[in-house]
């Protein structure tokens, strides 16, 4: 029986066992080719072929394996080929791997067949190396990633205007969803007699949303053009889910207001109870500077790409958007399209010869870059959090930059946390700049201790937190008067909190900006006032002058968004 396979009677004997093995090795090494050329590791080599393997190249399975056991052969050649692409991308493990055989003997002394022990010993090493190699599969795409500017686009509008369908169509046109997946969705949708919904299923992923055809959560997807990297935020259009929509709009740089040109649908969306008005107002409050209005469903039989209907929708919308605060000449761009057929989204369509502008995706690409300063204070409002091997938070970095292992402070609780890992749009990276959607894994805080609306800051420059502040409020739609003691729901960045107006300080003249000398007893619709507000709990906020993204808020009452406001002092 082979002495290597049995345990020694006493551990003193183990030296003898090792001595016998060494003796066997010495006899085996005498058969080596001493005159072989010295082995020089080549990092860019296709694969490592030792001297014995030159006779039987792994590419040719019919040739006999030159004097090497089948197990060792498999181990040396088959496993690297399995994940060869991963091994090529990482240089370090290769260096270590090639130095090992060359240390023994210039000719590559590993080829000695050492019975059952050889493969068993090397297998764990190989496994470890494979594990190391598999980790960095995603980052090689990283070097060219920061060149593209990150832009978040939120799709807003009334229920059934076609937001998710347009989002799904864009993902298909830019190659983010393959044809096969869409065909599968189409089949499934047909079974439910909902064949026109299949494109929206690319963004409405859960069963409830698909069954009812309504978006509930804010859907997320990515697509890239030649110059920019876009994140689609597909906001729900239904009245009940406006809080979710506000969370989506607060992360956006650019809003796309989708309206349906179909007879009757545009009117419902735009009247008092419709969501078109409310969403446009919320987008402005959330800090969206540029608005693209997509007049969808132009291919509908009631419309048939008619210029009259397009102009009619435009005429009704412009005065309202102006009232909310958008400049029709600079901030708003109208374009016709069809989400279901994809007309005028990527390529111009011959159906609509009267529209001379760029289609939707090229227009997004041609927009000027956003000015973002990466040297400002770190501000990351938290949108969501969950547990996954630690505490993971999601949010958009509004200013500053974050890197791995950085120490940050969670406001308003003042928890000191450390960044363990950092994902930007699901790709792991070492640092991130403003405007990026991030997932951070944090150390030093439990998931239960975080709420949406908390802010990550750097310790040198914390954000303000408090309960009482003064703000300028514009009352856009409210049926009765407002007096001190009035309660509403406050939406500021990603935070939702109950708030009470404790005092009205003065009225502001809309045209001249003059403030009234006396305190008003009440304010009504279309007036602007400065009021003192008090929230139920402590929230993070900044003045509008210092930090616009965190100094704007909306007040909602009875499910209707009635006021837009900016913070003057905290």
């Amino acid at each position: 029986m082979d002495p290597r396979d049995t345990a020694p009677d006493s551990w003193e004997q183990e030296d003898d066992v090792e001595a016998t093995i060494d003796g066997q090795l010495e006899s085996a090494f005498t058969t080596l080719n001493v005159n072989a050329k010295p082995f020089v590791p080549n990092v860019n080599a296709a694969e490592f072929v030792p001297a014995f393997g030159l006779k039987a190249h792994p590419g040719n399975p019919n040739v006999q394996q030159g004097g090497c056991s089948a197990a060792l052969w498999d181990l040396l050649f088959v496993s690297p080929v399995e994940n060869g692409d991963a091994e090529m991308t990482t240089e370090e493990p290769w260096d270590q791997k090639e130095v090992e055989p060359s240390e023994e003997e210039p000719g590559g002394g590993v080829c000695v067949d050492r019975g059952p022990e050889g493969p068993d010993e090397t297998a764990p090493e190989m496994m470890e190396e494979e594990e190391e190699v598999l980790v960095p599969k995603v980052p090689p795409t990283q070097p060219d990633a920061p060149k593209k500017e990150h832009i978040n686009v939120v799709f807003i509008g009334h229920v059934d205007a076609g937001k998710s369908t347009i989002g799904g169509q864009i993902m298909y046109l830019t190659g983010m969803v393959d044809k096969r997946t869409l065909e599968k969705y189409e089949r499934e949708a047909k079974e439910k007699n909902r064949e026109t919904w299949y494109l929206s299923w690319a963004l409405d992923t859960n069963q409830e949303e698909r069954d009812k055809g309504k978006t509930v959560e804010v859907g997320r997807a990515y697509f890239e053009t030649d110059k920019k990297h876009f994140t689609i935020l597909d906001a729900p259009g239904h009245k009940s889910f406006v809080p979710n929509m506000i969370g989506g709009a607060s992360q956006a740089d650019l809003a796309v207001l989708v309206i349906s040109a179909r007879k009757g649908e545009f009117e419902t969306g735009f009247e008092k109870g419709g969501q078109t008005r409310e969403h446009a107002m919320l987008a402005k409050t959330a800090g969206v500077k540029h608005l693209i209005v997509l007049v969808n469903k132009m291919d509908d039989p009631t419309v048939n790409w008619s210029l009259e209907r397009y102009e009619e929708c435009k005429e009704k919308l412009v005065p309202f958007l102006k009232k909310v605060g958008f400049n029709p000449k600079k901030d708003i761009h109208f374009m016709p399209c069809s989400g279901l057929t994809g007309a005028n989204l990527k390529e111009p369509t011959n159906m609509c010869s009267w529209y001379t502008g760029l289609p939707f995706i090229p227009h997004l690409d041609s927009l000027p870059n956003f000015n973002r300063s990466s040297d400002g204070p770190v501000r990351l409002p938290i949108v969501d959090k969950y547990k996954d091997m630690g505490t993971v938070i999601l949010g958009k970095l509004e200013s500053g930059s974050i890197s791995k292992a950085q120490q940050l402070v969670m406001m308003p609780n003042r928890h000191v946390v450390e960044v363990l890992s950092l994902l930007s749009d699901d790709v792991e990276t070492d640092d991130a700049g403003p405007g990026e959607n991030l997932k951070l894994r944090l150390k030093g805080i439990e998931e239960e201790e975080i709420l949406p609306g908390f802010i990550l800051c750097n310790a040198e420059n914390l954000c303000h937190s408090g309960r009482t502040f003064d703000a300028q409020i514009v009352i856009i739609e409210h049926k009765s008067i407002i007096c001190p003691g009035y309660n509403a729901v406050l939406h500021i960045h990603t935070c939702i909190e109950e708030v009470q107006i404790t005092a009205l300080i003065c009225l502001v003249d809309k045209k001249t900006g003059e403030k009234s000398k006396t305190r008003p007893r009440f304010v009504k619709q279309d007036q602007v006032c400065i009021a003192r507000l008090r929230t139920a709990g402590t929230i993070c906020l900044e003045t509008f002058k210092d930090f616009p993204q965190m100094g704007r808020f909306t007040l909602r009452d009875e499910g209707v968004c009635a006021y837009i406001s900016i913070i003057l002092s905290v």
Side-chain angles (χ1 to χ4, degrees), residues 160-322:
D160 283 346
K163 297 180 292 297
S164 301
T165 302
I166 288 177
Q169 184 71 270
I170 287 171
M171 285 170 70
Y172 171 57
L173 292 172
T174 53
M176 300 305 286
V177 175
D178 54 5
K179 200 165 182 195
R180 213 167 136 198
T181 315
L182 274 188
E183 281 167 1
K184 179 174 143 249
Y185 289 160
E186 198 169 1
R187 276 199 308 278
E188 287 172 11
K190 243 183 195 145
E191 284 163 18
K192 296 186 177 179
N193 293 332
R194 298 273 184 275
E195 54 254 48
T196 57
W197 288 4
Y198 73 98
L199 282 162
S200 67
W201 286 13
L203 285 158
D204 293 348
T205 44
N206 71 30
Q207 207 48 49
E208 183 197 355
E209 292 183 328
R210 289 181 174 184
D211 290 345
K212 294 185 177 170
K214 289 191 184 91
T215 308
V216 178
E217 297 281 325
V218 175
R220 275 171 177 270
Y222 319 111
F223 73 93
E224 289 200 357
T225 59
D226 300 339
K227 298 177 198 159
K228 296 182 168 73
H229 173 103
F230 291 95
T231 303
I232 297 177
L233 300 162
D234 176 36
H238 203 275
K239 199 178 187 158
S240 324
F241 311 124
V242 170
N244 293 358
M245 177 263 154
I246 294 173
S250 66
Q251 300 166 60
D253 304 304
L254 184 83
V256 177
L257 179 63
V258 182
I259 57 173
S260 164
R262 190 184 279 170
K263 283 270 188 299
E265 276 193 15
F266 169 70
E267 286 72 12
T268 353
F270 192 62
E271 277 155 17
K272 278 269 162 76
Q275 256 46 57
T276 304
R277 301 164 78 100
E278 186 173 357
H279 279 195
M281 195 154 85
L282 287 165
K284 182 65 187 169
T285 318
V288 173
K289 296 178 189 70
H290 197 88
L291 183 75
I292 296 173
V293 182
L294 277 184
V295 184
N296 190 20
K297 304 195 185 181
M298 291 296 285
D299 59 327
D300 190 76
T302 62
V303 185
N304 209 359
W305 296 97
S306 113
L307 177 62
E308 288 75 42
R309 179 65 173 161
Y310 174 73
E311 288 297 335
E312 183 190 338
C313 297
K314 204 167 159 179
E315 276 164 26
K316 285 186 182 171
L317 265 175
V318 169
F320 176 74
L321 295 174
K322 211 169 169 180

Side-chain angles (χ1 to χ4, degrees), residues 79-80 82-84 86-87 89-90 92-94 96-97 122-139:
S79 55
E82 275 176 35
N83 73 346
E87 302 220 5
T89 55
T90 53
E92 229 185 312
W94 259 116
Q96 298 157 8
K97 194 167 176 179
T122 41
E125 286 176 27
M126 287 295 297
M127 290 293 286
E128 278 171 30
E129 289 203 19
E130 276 195 27
E131 280 170 27
E132 280 175 33
V133 166
L134 279 173
V135 180
K137 261 197 174 170
V138 185

